[in-house]
Amino acid sequence: MSSALPPNCKAIVYSGPGKLTVQQVATPTAVHGSIVVRVLVSKNIPGLTVPNPSIPGARAIGRVAALGPDSTAFEIGQLVFLEPFVRARDNPNQSTFVWGAGVFGNDPAAIKLNQEVWNNGSWSEFVRAPLENCHPLNEKVLLGSSAEGGFGYSIAELICLPRHVIAYGGLRGIGLTAGETVIVAPATGHYTGAAVDVAIAMGARVIAVSRNLEVLQRIASTHPRVDIVQLKGNVEEDLASIKKFGPVDAYIDISPIAASDSTHVRSCIMAVKPYGRISLMGVILKDISIPYITACLNNLTIRGQYMYEREDVRGIIKLVEAGILKLGKSGGHQVVGEFKLEEWQKAFEAAEQNTDAGKIVALIP
């Protein structure tokens, strides 16, 4: 079943490093295990092994436009969230990739699945999406006016959901509970700032740690139960600053590649109390030293985590639809630019200039 789909649609096509062009491509059709979605807003993440050629675009909000023969729950026109973490159906614990962005690593099965089956992402007017990666949204609650009992979010404001899913997966992975204190370090980027949002929504107290004092202060003014520590780059000095706020139950780290030489990981691990838990979710590519004897004597649990579980996606949607996790201005978020597919270069420039927590740059096909 489908709405009237055009034979062709616009898309941004990747044909090699630095080569992106807007082209007319064949509109995808729904097959077993998929639906076709009319994309309303999209985002992407760089840096992975990308199929060539392909249509990038790792995350989107859209409306169902066509149903595969085995779809039983979705309806034409339904508002949905597309998230990109694809697991091989016959090997879900090993072969994974970020749909619309690429493979992190060199697993041949994941590369094959990405290149031969799910090589086209959401920088397009229409996208074929795996059923497992499509999640219904309560349009009345999210987009409806306050007079109608809704939150009045815009479509573009919903596109920050993927950032929150990643943080939620990491915090659930270490069993964060209401009333606990968690370090979020760093805390002022897109994904790290989302970790602050989610931890607060889960009922925790947050110690937000970063170098950018201005953004830290903005985060603290938005959220209750947030204390801030500006990093100085000295392990002992930073540790003392964190410890001023009392016992710490947990620490989540979503460091970018640029933080590979930072000392903050050591300071934060040393600040966690005995039997505390640590989640490492970042992309520090080089080996780093950890306080080995501290981890042993304090019975610390250090858990590495890549992305999230499927139930985490539904969980974060529930938090948003219940009004516990705030989006938009009430959550400290700002849409700084909305760009058409033809304006992708301007969108890239805007994204590079707005890397702070809560900033949103959106592609609108």
Side-chain angles (χ1 to χ4, degrees):
M1 182 184 297
S2 68
S3 57
L5 299 181
N8 298 298
C9 64
K10 284 189 299 184
I12 297 175
V13 178
Y14 169 85
S15 56
K19 297 179 180 178
L20 290 172
T21 56
V22 177
Q23 300 179 18
Q24 286 286 327
V25 300
T27 301
T29 56
V31 297
H32 285 85
S34 75
I35 61 175
V36 172
V37 173
R38 170 72 168 94
V39 178
L40 301 177
V41 61
S42 179
K43 283 184 66 64
N44 195 24
I45 58 175
L48 307 184
T49 302
V50 181
N52 180 10
S54 65
I55 298 171
R59 300 167 172 115
I61 304 294
R63 294 191 184 280
V64 177
L67 301 173
D70 55 348
S71 174
T72 62
F74 290 105
E75 299 178 357
I76 300 297
Q78 187 173 15
L79 190 70
V80 291
F81 162 42
L82 305 184
E83 53 87 11
F85 191 40
V86 175
R87 299 172 181 266
R89 289 167 180 159
D90 56 351
N91 191 14
N93 293 329
Q94 179 172 336
S95 297
T96 63
F97 65 93
V98 182
W99 167 48
V103 177
F104 191 47
N106 56 4
D107 176 50
I111 292 173
K112 178 179 184 294
L113 187 61
N114 186 201
Q115 291 182 343
E116 298 181 11
V117 182
W118 299 110
N119 58 320
N120 290 332
S122 58
W123 284 2
S124 178
E125 292 178 302
F126 293 90
V127 60
R128 177 191 294 150
L131 279 174
E132 300 94 327
N133 294 76
C134 303
H135 304 273
L137 297 175
N138 188 325
E139 182 172 355
K140 182 178 180 180
V141 167
L142 297 176
L143 304 183
S145 68
S146 58
E148 300 170 325
F151 300 128
Y153 296 138
S154 68
I155 291 291
E157 287 173 329
L158 299 182
I159 200 60
C160 63
L161 269 172
R163 304 175 186 173
H164 293 94
V165 174
I166 292 173
Y168 190 55
L171 293 169
R172 284 194 72 226
I174 54 174
L176 185 71
T177 59
E180 290 191 311
T181 296
V182 59
I183 298 170
V184 177
T188 55
H190 287 167
Y191 294 95
T192 54
V196 176
D197 297 342
V198 173
I200 292 296
M202 295 173 70
R205 170 175 167 257
V206 173
I207 302 175
V209 178
S210 196
R211 287 181 168 78
N212 192 325
L213 181 59
E214 180 181 352
V215 179
L216 283 174
Q217 290 172 334
R218 176 165 59 81
I219 290 172
S221 69
T222 301
H223 293 296
R225 305 190 311 277
V226 172
D227 295 304
I228 61 174
V229 172
Q230 184 183 28
L231 288 170
K232 303 299 184 181
N234 178 281
V235 172
E236 296 301 327
E237 183 179 354
D238 292 336
L239 174 61
S241 296
I242 296 170
K243 283 194 167 184
K244 288 179 181 178
F245 295 106
V248 173
D249 300 284
Y251 159 42
I252 184 169
D253 185 282
I254 316 180
S255 289
I257 295 174
S260 294
D261 294 316
S262 175
T263 60
H264 77 275
V265 176
R266 186 176 186 86
S267 298
C268 292
I269 290 177
M270 293 178 69
V272 177
K273 74 178 188 180
Y275 294 93
R277 298 97 65 205
I278 297 150
S279 176
L280 302 181
M281 296 193 73
V283 285
I284 293 179
L285 301 181
K286 63 188 294 184
D287 292 341
I288 62 172
S289 64
I290 64 168
Y292 188 99
I293 194 63
T294 297
C296 292
L297 294 178
N298 286 346
N299 295 288
L300 300 181
T301 298
I302 300 177
R303 173 189 171 105
Q305 176 144 347
Y306 180 44
M307 300 296 277
Y308 44 80
E309 303 299 328
R310 189 157 292 142
E311 58 266 27
D312 296 331
V313 183
R314 192 59 213 162
I316 206 72
I317 292 172
K318 287 180 178 179
L319 284 175
V320 173
E321 291 180 345
I324 299 170
L325 174 59
K326 305 292 186 182
L327 304 181
K329 294 180 181 179
S330 61
H333 306 147
Q334 178 189 8
V335 178
V336 295
E338 298 182 29
F339 300 90
K340 298 178 181 179
L341 293 179
E342 294 86 352
E343 300 174 307
W344 63 266
Q345 289 175 305
K346 292 181 180 179
F348 280 24
E349 292 170 1
E352 290 175 356
Q353 296 166 5
N354 292 277
T355 58
D356 292 344
K359 303 295 185 181
I360 301 170
V361 176
L363 273 175
I364 309 294

